[in-house]
């Protein structure tokens, strides 16, 4: 690589700190004269300063990442506490669902939040409660067969997944027209 750049002399200096090795600093020259011991010693001093600067940059990025992680964890724990407090303070079903939606809206930006409850006796999902940014709260009182719904797939897989409305329409799932009615393009 150095020869392709026209360099004839190079000096590679490790970038190390007391804590770790962070890389290498390279100097190159087109002159065929080798670097003197004084110049090499000066380059080593420069490499030591660069190593500290690079290490500080790595530490800063890591600290920022840790801070973001801690803030997210704090928000999750606050949400869990809020919902727990709602469960013990809200006795009315509708009020509880509205309060849960309010708590969810504080941590997730969503145009639509729905609560579907599995009715084991009928094998269906009852869309019990819906919040829509433009329409507010409603109780659609819609039932959807478990085997033709997103809820059914989520219950079966035991995991979340994002679905696009056209995908659900192509599968002929019962919830797709309701999504279209509410202007929802994707759900999780």
């Amino acid at each position: 690589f150095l020869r392709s750049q026209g360099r004839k002399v190079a000096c590679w200096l490790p970038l190390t700190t007391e804590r770790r090795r962070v890389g290498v600093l390279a100097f190159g020259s087109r002159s065929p004269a080798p670097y003197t011991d004084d110049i090499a010693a000066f380059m080593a001093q420069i490499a030591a300063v660069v190593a500290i600067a690079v290490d500080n940059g790595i530490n800063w990025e890591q600290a920022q990442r840790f801070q973001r992680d801690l803030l997210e964890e704090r928000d999750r724990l606050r949400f869990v506490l809020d919902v727990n407090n709602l469960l013990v303070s809200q006795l009315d079903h509708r009020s509880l669902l509205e309060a849960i939606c309010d708590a969810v809206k504080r941590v997730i930006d969503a145009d639509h939040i729905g609560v579907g409850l599995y009715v084991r006796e009928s094998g269906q999902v009852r869309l019990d409660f819906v919040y829509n940014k433009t329409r507010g709260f409603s109780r659609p009182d819609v039932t959807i067969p478990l085997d033709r719904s997103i809820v059914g797939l989520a219950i079966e897989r035991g995991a979340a997944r994002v679905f696009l409305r056209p995908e659900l329409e192509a599968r002929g799932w019962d919830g797709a027209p309701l999504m279209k009615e509410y202007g929802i393009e994707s759900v999780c």
Side-chain angles (χ1 to χ4, degrees), residues 30-48:
R30 292 180 186 207
S31 169
Y35 290 119
T36 65
D37 289 342
D38 289 344
I39 292 175
F42 182 63
M43 289 177 181
Q45 289 176 348
I46 291 171

Side-chain angles (χ1 to χ4, degrees), residues 31-174:
S31 169
Y35 290 119
T36 65
D37 289 342
D38 289 344
I39 292 175
F42 182 63
M43 289 177 181
Q45 289 176 348
I46 291 171
V49 172
V50 170
I52 292 169
V54 170
D55 193 40
N56 286 343
I58 293 169
N59 290 337
W60 172 255
E61 289 173 3
Q62 190 175 33
Q64 293 298 309
R65 206 170 29 254
F66 288 152
Q67 182 179 18
R68 282 190 304 274
D69 292 347
L70 285 172
L71 290 173
E72 288 173 10
E73 181 66 15
R74 180 206 62 195
D75 291 345
R76 279 192 295 273
L77 291 172
R78 183 177 291 152
F79 171 73
V80 170
L81 180 62
D82 288 348
V83 170
N84 186 53
N85 289 338
L86 292 172
L87 292 174
V88 297
S89 67
Q90 299 287 335
L91 300 177
D92 173 59
H93 183 69
R94 181 177 174 89
S95 298
L96 174 63
L97 292 177
E98 283 184 20
I100 288 173
C101 283
D102 285 337
V104 169
K105 288 186 301 184
R106 285 195 302 269
V107 294
I108 297 174
D109 182 29
D111 295 322
H112 178 88
I113 300 169
V115 177
L117 301 176
Y118 174 55
V119 181
R120 187 178 308 270
E121 296 80 29
S122 66
Q124 294 190 330
V125 175
R126 184 180 76 231
L127 191 53
D128 200 40
F129 192 76
V130 172
Y131 167 77
N132 183 290
K133 270 188 180 178
T134 57
R135 297 180 183 183
F137 294 104
S138 66
R139 288 194 74 171
D141 197 30
V142 172
T143 56
I144 302 170
L146 192 63
D147 62 346
R148 295 180 46 86
S149 70
I150 300 164
V151 177
L153 191 56
I155 289 172
E156 176 186 307
R157 290 187 179 173
R161 179 173 167 218
V162 175
F163 293 92
L164 301 177
R165 185 175 50 81
E167 175 187 1
L168 299 177
E169 288 174 334
R171 290 183 182 204
W173 283 14
D174 293 347

